[in-house]
Amino acid sequence: MDIYKAILLLSNMSSDATISSYSYETLKVTTPADHIYHALGEDSNCRAVIISGSGKMFTSGIDLMDLMSDFTQLQGEDAARIAWGVRKKITEYQKSFSAIEKCTKPVIAAVHNGCLGVGVDLITACDIRYCSQDAYFQVKEVDMGVATDVGTLQRLPNIIGSRSLVNELAFTARKMMSDEALSSGLVSRVFPDKASLLSAAFDLATDIASKSPVAVQGTKVNLLYARDHSVEESLNYMATWNMSMLQTEDIMTSAQAALQKKTPKDVTFSKL
C-alpha cells in the first residue's frame, strides 16, 4: 500500500464523514464492527483504528521510483536551496508518520509477513503491535545507502529498551523474526497466521471501543506526554487534563453500570 497516503488519512478526516466518503486508490477503509475502523482516525464515529496490509506482505517499504521522482524534482545549482527542498520533503514524510501518534484514537498494527523499511517507521508510531508467526521486521534503510529518517531511530529505542539491539538492527538491516520481536517487546502478541491475527486485532479494538472515549483518548494523550517528559511534568499535565475531563458524564455512566453488574460493552457512550 502507499504508506504515506494511508497515514495522512489519519489526520485529514472530517468529524462527520461516513464510510462512503473514504474512497482511495491505494487504501481500503472498512468498519468490521461498531466504532472500529480498519485504517483511519479523526472521525467522531471512530474509537479504535486497525492498520493491516492487504497484499502478500504487510509492506515491502517505500516505492523507490516514487522516492527518486520526489527528490529529482529538486533541481537547481545552489546547494543551500537544494538542501532546503530536501529538508522540506523529509519533514513532510515525518509528519505523515507522526499523524498516527497524534491521532487520539488507539491505533493497532496487525503485521503479517514482511515489515520492511518505512513499515517499521509506521508500526513504531502505533500504540499496539500484533503480528503473525511468519512476520519479520527489517530496518532496511542502510542497505539502500541512507539513514532512516522518518521515525524508527527516534521511537524504536523507547519501545525495545535495549540500545544494543536497536543499534544492531539499524546498523545491519538484519531480519528480526516474530519470536524475537515478541521477546524484545516490539510486539505484544504473536498469532499462527494472518486470519487469527486479524481476528485478535478486531477483538482488541472491540474491547477498546466499548470503553469511554473520553477515558481512552485521554489515556493515549497522557501516555505519549509522559514518554517525553519527566514524572513531575507529566503529573502536572495530568492534573490539568483531568481538571476538566473528570467532569464527564461517562464516569457516572460507568459507575452505574458497575453497580448493576454490567460491563462497558453494555453501555452506550456518547461520541467524542
Side-chain angles (χ1 to χ4, degrees):
M1 64 179 177
D2 187 325
I3 290 179
Y4 295 117
K5 291 179 183 176
I7 298 171
L8 282 170
L9 181 64
L10 285 165
S11 59
N12 292 328
M13 292 297 150
S14 63
S15 61
D16 58 352
T18 63
I19 194 66
S20 60
S21 306
Y22 307 133
S23 178
Y24 302 90
E25 181 182 348
T26 57
L27 180 69
K28 181 179 180 181
V29 179
T30 62
T31 53
D34 288 345
H35 307 303
I36 300 169
Y37 284 74
H38 196 176
L40 64 92
E42 287 299 321
D43 183 324
S44 61
N45 292 309
C46 175
R47 296 183 185 176
V49 180
I50 299 171
I51 297 179
S52 65
S54 61
K56 180 181 178 181
M57 304 172 71
F58 178 76
T59 176
S60 58
I62 194 170
D63 187 312
L64 293 178
M65 295 304 294
D66 282 349
L67 183 66
M68 291 173 63
S69 175
D70 282 345
F71 286 98
T72 53
Q73 293 175 13
L74 303 172
Q75 301 293 333
E77 296 182 0
D78 186 83
R81 285 170 173 78
I82 295 173
W84 196 258
V86 172
R87 186 183 191 280
K88 182 179 179 181
K89 183 63 66 175
I90 293 172
T91 301
E92 290 174 358
Y93 287 167
Q94 290 174 340
K95 288 179 179 178
S96 71
F97 287 92
S98 293
I100 295 177
E101 203 168 70
K102 292 180 179 179
C103 170
T104 56
K105 320 299 172 65
V107 181
I108 303 161
V111 181
H112 76 285
N113 204 277
C115 178
L116 284 63
V118 291
V120 180
D121 295 305
L122 187 158
I123 67 167
T124 53
C126 293
D127 301 295
I128 300 170
R129 291 164 295 277
Y130 281 1
C131 77
S132 57
Q133 203 163 32
D134 66 350
Y136 63 92
F137 307 83
Q138 277 186 284
V139 184
K140 188 70 173 171
E141 283 78 1
V142 291
D143 281 350
M144 301 295 105
V146 299
T148 180
D149 56 7
V150 291
T152 291
L153 300 183
Q154 292 70 38
R155 296 187 175 99
L156 191 59
N158 291 318
I159 295 170
I160 290 180
S162 169
R163 280 281 177 174
S164 177
L165 179 55
V166 171
N167 293 345
E168 178 189 342
L169 295 170
F171 294 156
T172 67
R174 76 164 175 84
K175 292 181 179 180
M176 170 186 271
M177 308 308 290
S178 60
D179 56 345
E180 186 181 8
L182 179 62
S183 65
S184 69
L186 178 59
V187 301
S188 51
R189 296 185 68 184
V190 177
F191 298 88
D193 49 39
K194 184 179 179 181
S196 58
L197 163 68
L198 290 178
S199 177
F202 294 146
D203 287 345
L204 174 64
T206 299
D207 189 23
I208 293 172
S210 72
K211 316 293 184 184
S212 159
V214 172
V216 171
Q217 294 178 45
T219 297
K220 174 168 180 175
V221 169
N222 280 276
L223 281 171
L224 288 171
Y225 189 92
R227 182 196 64 186
D228 300 326
H229 296 80
S230 70
V231 172
E232 184 175 356
E233 290 171 324
S234 299
L235 287 171
N236 182 63
Y237 188 84
M238 187 76 248
T240 304
W241 181 273
N242 262 359
M243 63 188 276
S244 56
M245 294 300 108
L246 285 178
Q247 300 180 55
T248 178
E249 62 184 17
D250 291 8
I251 295 177
M252 183 61 68
T253 301
S254 298
Q256 289 176 343
L259 290 173
Q260 295 170 7
K261 307 299 182 182
K262 294 181 180 179
T263 69
K265 293 180 181 179
D266 300 317
V267 179
T268 301
F269 293 103
S270 299
K271 297 178 183 178
L272 182 62

